[in-house]
PDB file of all heavy atoms in Angstrom:
ATOM      1  N   SER V 149      30.167  76.126 -76.854  1.00 98.00           N
ATOM      2  CA  SER V 149      31.493  76.255 -76.315  1.00 98.00           C
ATOM      3  C   SER V 149      31.963  77.699 -76.455  1.00 98.00           C
ATOM      4  O   SER V 149      31.370  78.495 -77.210  1.00 98.00           O
ATOM      5  CB  SER V 149      32.474  75.300 -77.026  1.00 98.00           C
ATOM      6  OG  SER V 149      33.704  75.245 -76.324  1.00 98.00           O
ATOM      7  N   TYR V 156      29.957  80.079 -78.935  1.00 98.00           N
ATOM      8  CA  TYR V 156      29.548  79.423 -80.192  1.00 98.00           C
ATOM      9  C   TYR V 156      28.454  78.403 -79.897  1.00 98.00           C
ATOM     10  O   TYR V 156      28.620  77.539 -79.048  1.00 98.00           O
ATOM     11  CB  TYR V 156      30.751  78.739 -80.842  1.00 98.00           C
ATOM     12  CG  TYR V 156      31.579  79.684 -81.684  1.00 98.00           C
ATOM     13  CD1 TYR V 156      32.379  80.661 -81.074  1.00 98.00           C
ATOM     14  CD2 TYR V 156      31.547  79.617 -83.076  1.00 98.00           C
ATOM     15  CE1 TYR V 156      33.133  81.539 -81.844  1.00 98.00           C
ATOM     16  CE2 TYR V 156      32.306  80.492 -83.846  1.00 98.00           C
ATOM     17  CZ  TYR V 156      33.089  81.449 -83.238  1.00 98.00           C
ATOM     18  OH  TYR V 156      33.827  82.321 -84.005  1.00 98.00           O
ATOM     19  N   PHE V 158      25.880  75.456 -81.576  1.00 98.00           N
ATOM     20  CA  PHE V 158      25.771  74.534 -82.654  1.00 98.00           C
ATOM     21  C   PHE V 158      24.381  73.884 -82.581  1.00 98.00           C
ATOM     22  O   PHE V 158      24.099  73.128 -81.645  1.00 98.00           O
ATOM     23  CB  PHE V 158      26.863  73.486 -82.586  1.00 98.00           C
ATOM     24  CG  PHE V 158      28.262  74.088 -82.570  1.00 98.00           C
ATOM     25  CD1 PHE V 158      28.854  74.459 -81.359  1.00 98.00           C
ATOM     26  CD2 PHE V 158      28.942  74.327 -83.754  1.00 98.00           C
ATOM     27  CE1 PHE V 158      30.109  75.028 -81.328  1.00 98.00           C
ATOM     28  CE2 PHE V 158      30.203  74.896 -83.734  1.00 98.00           C
ATOM     29  CZ  PHE V 158      30.798  75.242 -82.532  1.00 98.00           C
ATOM     30  N   VAL V 172      25.724  77.264 -87.103  1.00 98.00           N
ATOM     31  CA  VAL V 172      26.689  77.801 -86.152  1.00 98.00           C
ATOM     32  C   VAL V 172      26.354  79.275 -85.886  1.00 98.00           C
ATOM     33  O   VAL V 172      26.327  80.085 -86.832  1.00 98.00           O
ATOM     34  CB  VAL V 172      28.132  77.679 -86.656  1.00 98.00           C
ATOM     35  CG1 VAL V 172      29.132  78.221 -85.641  1.00 98.00           C
ATOM     36  CG2 VAL V 172      28.450  76.227 -87.016  1.00 98.00           C
ATOM     37  N   TYR V 188      27.380  80.098 -90.400  1.00 98.00           N
ATOM     38  CA  TYR V 188      27.357  79.152 -91.524  1.00 98.00           C
ATOM     39  C   TYR V 188      26.667  77.885 -91.014  1.00 98.00           C
ATOM     40  O   TYR V 188      26.192  77.864 -89.890  1.00 98.00           O
ATOM     41  CB  TYR V 188      28.771  78.813 -92.024  1.00 98.00           C
ATOM     42  CG  TYR V 188      29.716  78.337 -90.961  1.00 98.00           C
ATOM     43  CD1 TYR V 188      29.821  76.980 -90.621  1.00 98.00           C
ATOM     44  CD2 TYR V 188      30.518  79.249 -90.230  1.00 98.00           C
ATOM     45  CE1 TYR V 188      30.677  76.543 -89.632  1.00 98.00           C
ATOM     46  CE2 TYR V 188      31.375  78.812 -89.241  1.00 98.00           C
ATOM     47  CZ  TYR V 188      31.471  77.467 -88.957  1.00 98.00           C
ATOM     48  OH  TYR V 188      32.289  77.035 -87.962  1.00 98.00           O
ATOM     49  N   MET V 190      26.881  73.349 -91.145  1.00 97.00           N
ATOM     50  CA  MET V 190      27.512  72.097 -91.529  1.00 97.00           C
ATOM     51  C   MET V 190      26.453  71.054 -91.691  1.00 97.00           C
ATOM     52  O   MET V 190      25.374  71.170 -91.097  1.00 97.00           O
ATOM     53  CB  MET V 190      28.518  71.651 -90.458  1.00 97.00           C
ATOM     54  CG  MET V 190      29.622  72.636 -90.145  1.00 97.00           C
ATOM     55  SD  MET V 190      30.696  72.057 -88.837  1.00 97.00           S
ATOM     56  CE  MET V 190      29.687  72.327 -87.380  1.00 97.00           C
ATOM     57  N   SER V 204      26.346  68.092 -77.874  1.00 98.00           N
ATOM     58  CA  SER V 204      27.278  68.785 -76.982  1.00 98.00           C
ATOM     59  C   SER V 204      28.497  69.195 -77.804  1.00 98.00           C
ATOM     60  O   SER V 204      28.740  68.645 -78.886  1.00 98.00           O
ATOM     61  CB  SER V 204      27.698  67.884 -75.810  1.00 98.00           C
ATOM     62  OG  SER V 204      28.475  68.612 -74.871  1.00 98.00           O
ATOM     63  N   ALA V 205      29.258  70.160 -77.285  1.00 98.00           N
ATOM     64  CA  ALA V 205      30.416  70.674 -78.008  1.00 98.00           C
ATOM     65  C   ALA V 205      31.505  71.077 -77.028  1.00 98.00           C
ATOM     66  O   ALA V 205      31.229  71.463 -75.885  1.00 98.00           O
ATOM     67  CB  ALA V 205      30.043  71.842 -78.897  1.00 98.00           C
ATOM     68  N   ASP V 206      32.755  71.025 -77.509  1.00 98.00           N
ATOM     69  CA  ASP V 206      33.869  71.597 -76.772  1.00 98.00           C
ATOM     70  C   ASP V 206      34.898  72.035 -77.809  1.00 98.00           C
ATOM     71  O   ASP V 206      35.077  71.378 -78.833  1.00 98.00           O
ATOM     72  CB  ASP V 206      34.499  70.565 -75.815  1.00 98.00           C
ATOM     73  CG  ASP V 206      35.326  71.228 -74.725  1.00 98.00           C
ATOM     74  OD1 ASP V 206      35.443  72.474 -74.730  1.00 98.00           O
ATOM     75  OD2 ASP V 206      35.892  70.491 -73.889  1.00 98.00           O
ATOM     76  N   ILE V 207      35.532  73.172 -77.571  1.00 98.00           N
ATOM     77  CA  ILE V 207      36.587  73.670 -78.433  1.00 98.00           C
ATOM     78  C   ILE V 207      37.848  73.814 -77.617  1.00 98.00           C
ATOM     79  O   ILE V 207      37.870  74.520 -76.617  1.00 98.00           O
ATOM     80  CB  ILE V 207      36.195  75.046 -79.048  1.00 98.00           C
ATOM     81  CG1 ILE V 207      34.900  74.914 -79.866  1.00 98.00           C
ATOM     82  CG2 ILE V 207      37.355  75.584 -79.925  1.00 98.00           C
ATOM     83  CD1 ILE V 207      34.338  76.257 -80.286  1.00 98.00           C
ATOM     84  N   GLN V 208      38.876  73.077 -78.010  1.00 96.00           N
ATOM     85  CA  GLN V 208      40.146  73.099 -77.287  1.00 96.00           C
ATOM     86  C   GLN V 208      41.280  73.065 -78.326  1.00 96.00           C
ATOM     87  O   GLN V 208      41.292  72.237 -79.221  1.00 96.00           O
ATOM     88  CB  GLN V 208      40.277  71.897 -76.362  1.00 96.00           C
ATOM     89  CG  GLN V 208      39.231  71.817 -75.252  1.00 96.00           C
ATOM     90  CD  GLN V 208      39.391  72.900 -74.224  1.00 96.00           C
ATOM     91  OE1 GLN V 208      40.476  73.449 -74.025  1.00 96.00           O
ATOM     92  NE2 GLN V 208      38.304  73.240 -73.552  1.00 96.00           N
ATOM     93  N   ASN V 209      42.256  73.977 -78.146  1.00 95.00           N
ATOM     94  CA  ASN V 209      43.458  73.975 -78.956  1.00 95.00           C
ATOM     95  C   ASN V 209      43.133  73.964 -80.456  1.00 95.00           C
ATOM     96  O   ASN V 209      43.708  73.214 -81.243  1.00 95.00           O
ATOM     97  CB  ASN V 209      44.361  72.781 -78.598  1.00 95.00           C
ATOM     98  CG  ASN V 209      44.789  72.821 -77.143  1.00 95.00           C
ATOM     99  OD1 ASN V 209      45.165  73.878 -76.635  1.00 95.00           O
ATOM    100  ND2 ASN V 209      44.737  71.671 -76.493  1.00 95.00           N
ATOM    101  N   ASP V 210      42.208  74.851 -80.838  1.00 95.00           N
ATOM    102  CA  ASP V 210      41.787  74.994 -82.253  1.00 95.00           C
ATOM    103  C   ASP V 210      41.227  73.708 -82.821  1.00 95.00           C
ATOM    104  O   ASP V 210      41.377  73.416 -84.022  1.00 95.00           O
ATOM    105  CB  ASP V 210      42.945  75.482 -83.115  1.00 95.00           C
ATOM    106  CG  ASP V 210      43.344  76.931 -82.758  1.00 95.00           C
ATOM    107  OD1 ASP V 210      42.423  77.727 -82.471  1.00 95.00           O
ATOM    108  OD2 ASP V 210      44.529  77.243 -82.727  1.00 95.00           O
ATOM    109  N   LYS V 211      40.592  72.897 -81.964  1.00 97.00           N
ATOM    110  CA  LYS V 211      39.849  71.725 -82.404  1.00 97.00           C
ATOM    111  C   LYS V 211      38.404  71.839 -81.888  1.00 97.00           C
ATOM    112  O   LYS V 211      38.175  72.197 -80.727  1.00 97.00           O
ATOM    113  CB  LYS V 211      40.433  70.419 -81.851  1.00 97.00           C
ATOM    114  CG  LYS V 211      41.897  70.171 -82.261  1.00 97.00           C
ATOM    115  CD  LYS V 211      41.995  69.716 -83.691  1.00 97.00           C
ATOM    116  CE  LYS V 211      43.455  69.330 -84.001  1.00 97.00           C
ATOM    117  NZ  LYS V 211      43.638  68.998 -85.426  1.00 97.00           N
ATOM    118  N   LEU V 212      37.448  71.561 -82.753  1.00 98.00           N
ATOM    119  CA  LEU V 212      36.040  71.505 -82.368  1.00 98.00           C
ATOM    120  C   LEU V 212      35.626  70.032 -82.240  1.00 98.00           C
ATOM    121  O   LEU V 212      35.802  69.244 -83.183  1.00 98.00           O
ATOM    122  CB  LEU V 212      35.181  72.184 -83.431  1.00 98.00           C
ATOM    123  CG  LEU V 212      33.668  71.899 -83.383  1.00 98.00           C
ATOM    124  CD1 LEU V 212      33.080  72.443 -82.103  1.00 98.00           C
ATOM    125  CD2 LEU V 212      32.986  72.503 -84.603  1.00 98.00           C
ATOM    126  N   TYR V 213      35.080  69.695 -81.079  1.00 98.00           N
ATOM    127  CA  TYR V 213      34.558  68.332 -80.824  1.00 98.00           C
ATOM    128  C   TYR V 213      33.057  68.434 -80.707  1.00 98.00           C
ATOM    129  O   TYR V 213      32.539  69.146 -79.860  1.00 98.00           O
ATOM    130  CB  TYR V 213      35.163  67.784 -79.514  1.00 98.00           C
ATOM    131  CG  TYR V 213      36.668  67.729 -79.475  1.00 98.00           C
ATOM    132  CD1 TYR V 213      37.430  68.862 -79.223  1.00 98.00           C
ATOM    133  CD2 TYR V 213      37.327  66.525 -79.682  1.00 98.00           C
ATOM    134  CE1 TYR V 213      38.812  68.803 -79.186  1.00 98.00           C
ATOM    135  CE2 TYR V 213      38.720  66.445 -79.625  1.00 98.00           C
ATOM    136  CZ  TYR V 213      39.450  67.601 -79.387  1.00 98.00           C
ATOM    137  OH  TYR V 213      40.825  67.525 -79.335  1.00 98.00           O
ATOM    138  N   LEU V 214      32.363  67.737 -81.609  1.00 98.00           N
ATOM    139  CA  LEU V 214      30.904  67.689 -81.567  1.00 98.00           C
ATOM    140  C   LEU V 214      30.457  66.277 -81.215  1.00 98.00           C
ATOM    141  O   LEU V 214      30.962  65.284 -81.792  1.00 98.00           O
ATOM    142  CB  LEU V 214      30.304  68.098 -82.921  1.00 98.00           C
ATOM    143  CG  LEU V 214      30.310  69.577 -83.298  1.00 98.00           C
ATOM    144  CD1 LEU V 214      29.690  69.758 -84.658  1.00 98.00           C
ATOM    145  CD2 LEU V 214      29.582  70.415 -82.240  1.00 98.00           C
ATOM    146  N   VAL V 220      31.761  60.934 -81.684  1.00 97.00           N
ATOM    147  CA  VAL V 220      32.414  62.243 -81.499  1.00 97.00           C
ATOM    148  C   VAL V 220      33.036  62.624 -82.839  1.00 97.00           C
ATOM    149  O   VAL V 220      33.788  61.839 -83.418  1.00 97.00           O
ATOM    150  CB  VAL V 220      33.477  62.206 -80.403  1.00 97.00           C
ATOM    151  CG1 VAL V 220      34.171  63.582 -80.310  1.00 97.00           C
ATOM    152  CG2 VAL V 220      32.888  61.847 -79.067  1.00 97.00           C
ATOM    153  N   ILE V 221      32.689  63.804 -83.335  1.00 97.00           N
ATOM    154  CA  ILE V 221      33.212  64.282 -84.603  1.00 97.00           C
ATOM    155  C   ILE V 221      34.212  65.409 -84.294  1.00 97.00           C
ATOM    156  O   ILE V 221      33.913  66.352 -83.582  1.00 97.00           O
ATOM    157  CB  ILE V 221      32.106  64.830 -85.518  1.00 97.00           C
ATOM    158  CG1 ILE V 221      30.934  63.823 -85.598  1.00 97.00           C
ATOM    159  CG2 ILE V 221      32.649  65.147 -86.892  1.00 97.00           C
ATOM    160  CD1 ILE V 221      29.702  64.404 -86.279  1.00 97.00           C
ATOM    161  N   ILE V 222      35.425  65.275 -84.862  1.00 97.00           N
ATOM    162  CA  ILE V 222      36.489  66.221 -84.575  1.00 97.00           C
ATOM    163  C   ILE V 222      36.783  67.046 -85.826  1.00 97.00           C
ATOM    164  O   ILE V 222      36.941  66.521 -86.923  1.00 97.00           O
ATOM    165  CB  ILE V 222      37.769  65.504 -84.074  1.00 97.00           C
ATOM    166  CG1 ILE V 222      37.445  64.685 -82.824  1.00 97.00           C
ATOM    167  CG2 ILE V 222      38.879  66.505 -83.787  1.00 97.00           C
ATOM    168  CD1 ILE V 222      38.594  63.848 -82.351  1.00 97.00           C
ATOM    169  N   HIS V 223      36.841  68.367 -85.627  1.00 98.00           N
ATOM    170  CA  HIS V 223      37.141  69.283 -86.713  1.00 98.00           C
ATOM    171  C   HIS V 223      38.337  70.165 -86.327  1.00 98.00           C
ATOM    172  O   HIS V 223      38.533  70.465 -85.125  1.00 98.00           O
ATOM    173  CB  HIS V 223      35.969  70.252 -86.966  1.00 98.00           C
ATOM    174  CG  HIS V 223      34.647  69.593 -87.204  1.00 98.00           C
ATOM    175  ND1 HIS V 223      33.889  69.033 -86.182  1.00 98.00           N
ATOM    176  CD2 HIS V 223      33.930  69.413 -88.328  1.00 98.00           C
ATOM    177  CE1 HIS V 223      32.778  68.541 -86.690  1.00 98.00           C
ATOM    178  NE2 HIS V 223      32.760  68.765 -87.976  1.00 98.00           N
ATOM    179  N   SER V 224      39.114  70.593 -87.304  1.00 97.00           N
ATOM    180  CA  SER V 224      39.992  71.720 -87.023  1.00 97.00           C
ATOM    181  C   SER V 224      39.082  72.951 -86.925  1.00 97.00           C
ATOM    182  O   SER V 224      38.026  73.022 -87.538  1.00 97.00           O
ATOM    183  CB  SER V 224      41.011  71.880 -88.141  1.00 97.00           C
ATOM    184  OG  SER V 224      40.373  72.139 -89.385  1.00 97.00           O
ATOM    185  N   PHE V 225      39.516  73.918 -86.105  1.00 97.00           N
ATOM    186  CA  PHE V 225      38.654  75.089 -85.862  1.00 97.00           C
ATOM    187  C   PHE V 225      39.525  76.304 -85.719  1.00 97.00           C
ATOM    188  O   PHE V 225      40.132  76.580 -84.697  1.00 97.00           O
ATOM    189  CB  PHE V 225      37.840  74.851 -84.591  1.00 97.00           C
ATOM    190  CG  PHE V 225      36.603  75.707 -84.455  1.00 97.00           C
ATOM    191  CD1 PHE V 225      35.516  75.486 -85.250  1.00 97.00           C
ATOM    192  CD2 PHE V 225      36.556  76.737 -83.549  1.00 97.00           C
ATOM    193  CE1 PHE V 225      34.367  76.256 -85.144  1.00 97.00           C
ATOM    194  CE2 PHE V 225      35.414  77.519 -83.411  1.00 97.00           C
ATOM    195  CZ  PHE V 225      34.324  77.277 -84.213  1.00 97.00           C
ATOM    196  N   ARG V 229      35.955  78.742 -88.074  1.00 96.00           N
ATOM    197  CA  ARG V 229      35.549  77.930 -89.180  1.00 96.00           C
ATOM    198  C   ARG V 229      35.943  76.478 -88.898  1.00 96.00           C
ATOM    199  O   ARG V 229      37.068  76.190 -88.478  1.00 96.00           O
ATOM    200  CB  ARG V 229      36.159  78.373 -90.492  1.00 96.00           C
ATOM    201  CG  ARG V 229      35.908  79.837 -90.827  1.00 96.00           C
ATOM    202  CD  ARG V 229      34.450  80.114 -91.162  1.00 96.00           C
ATOM    203  NE  ARG V 229      34.018  79.444 -92.396  1.00 96.00           N
ATOM    204  CZ  ARG V 229      32.816  79.580 -92.895  1.00 96.00           C
ATOM    205  NH1 ARG V 229      31.932  80.346 -92.307  1.00 96.00           N
ATOM    206  NH2 ARG V 229      32.474  78.948 -94.010  1.00 96.00           N
ATOM    207  N   ALA V 230      35.019  75.563 -89.168  1.00 97.00           N
ATOM    208  CA  ALA V 230      35.230  74.144 -88.880  1.00 97.00           C
ATOM    209  C   ALA V 230      35.547  73.392 -90.148  1.00 97.00           C
ATOM    210  O   ALA V 230      34.939  73.596 -91.195  1.00 97.00           O
ATOM    211  CB  ALA V 230      33.997  73.548 -88.202  1.00 97.00           C
ATOM    212  N   LYS V 231      36.499  72.448 -90.044  1.00 97.00           N
ATOM    213  CA  LYS V 231      36.824  71.552 -91.161  1.00 97.00           C
ATOM    214  C   LYS V 231      36.978  70.162 -90.599  1.00 97.00           C
ATOM    215  O   LYS V 231      37.799  69.903 -89.717  1.00 97.00           O
ATOM    216  CB  LYS V 231      38.134  71.990 -91.832  1.00 97.00           C
ATOM    217  CG  LYS V 231      38.482  71.121 -93.053  1.00 97.00           C
ATOM    218  CD  LYS V 231      39.760  71.615 -93.708  1.00 97.00           C
ATOM    219  CE  LYS V 231      40.099  70.741 -94.914  1.00 97.00           C
ATOM    220  NZ  LYS V 231      41.369  71.198 -95.563  1.00 97.00           N
TER     221      LYS V 231
END
Side-chain angles (χ1 to χ4, degrees):
S149 191
Y156 276 72
F158 303 88
V172 181
Y188 53 89
M190 302 177 285
S204 188
D206 199 359
I207 301 170
Q208 298 292 336
N209 300 318
D210 293 321
K211 301 285 186 186
L212 165 65
Y213 301 79
L214 284 179
V220 176
I221 310 170
I222 302 175
H223 307 75
S224 62
F225 200 72
R229 304 292 295 183
K231 183 179 180 181

